[in-house]
Amino acid sequence: MEIWINPACSKCRSALSLLDAEGADYTVRRYLEDVPGEDEIRDVLDRLGLEPWDITRTQEAAAKELGLKEWPRDDSARDRWITALAGHPKLIQRPIITADDGTAVVGRTDEAVRDALTRT
């Protein structure tokens, strides 16, 4: 299990605390320093069953600078969104937990983190 975090994020710290309390075996990835490439983002999106706009933090300054709210949310723009996430990792919703069964969850709630723990 791997968890993508930003240490400054309270939701990330909460998820880590819960994983620790449950005795989970996991690896921490500080994704702002160890930035995922476009292929990794595609893989995580497949594991999540989501589209790139579903995991984009549209209120971030970079999102506003790029005008993301105006971008199409369809297959024709999918690669453009993925390129933006790889180029501006702060736009990626966090934390993302890749579960041992090949799926992933956005662990913004205790329930989502617990769900990841059940996926073996």
Side-chain angles (χ1 to χ4, degrees), residues 38 41 52 56 62-63 66 68 71 77-92:
E38 291 182 24
I41 292 170
T56 300
L66 293 169
L68 289 183
W71 288 15
R78 190 172 198 268
D79 285 341
R80 184 178 179 197
W81 282 86
I82 291 169
T83 299
L85 292 174
H88 305 275
K90 197 168 187 178
L91 295 176
I92 300 171

Side-chain angles (χ1 to χ4, degrees), residues 4 36-46 82 85-86 92:
W4 293 8
E38 291 182 24
D39 287 341
E40 286 179 284
I41 292 170
R42 281 187 189 87
D43 179 59
V44 164
L45 288 167
D46 288 346
I82 291 169
L85 292 174
I92 300 171

Side-chain angles (χ1 to χ4, degrees), residues 7-55:
C9 168
S10 63
K11 300 278 186 192
C12 293
R13 292 191 305 270
S14 177
L16 290 173
S17 294
L18 182 54
L19 291 174
D20 289 342
E22 296 292 328
D25 182 24
Y26 64 91
T27 303
V28 170
R29 180 173 186 172
R30 294 179 179 214
Y31 72 95
L32 296 179
E33 298 164 15
D34 183 8
V35 178
E38 291 182 24
D39 287 341
E40 286 179 284
I41 292 170
R42 281 187 189 87
D43 179 59
V44 164
L45 288 167
D46 288 346
R47 293 174 79 166
L48 288 166
L50 297 174
E51 293 296 337
W53 44 86
D54 296 326
I55 65 162

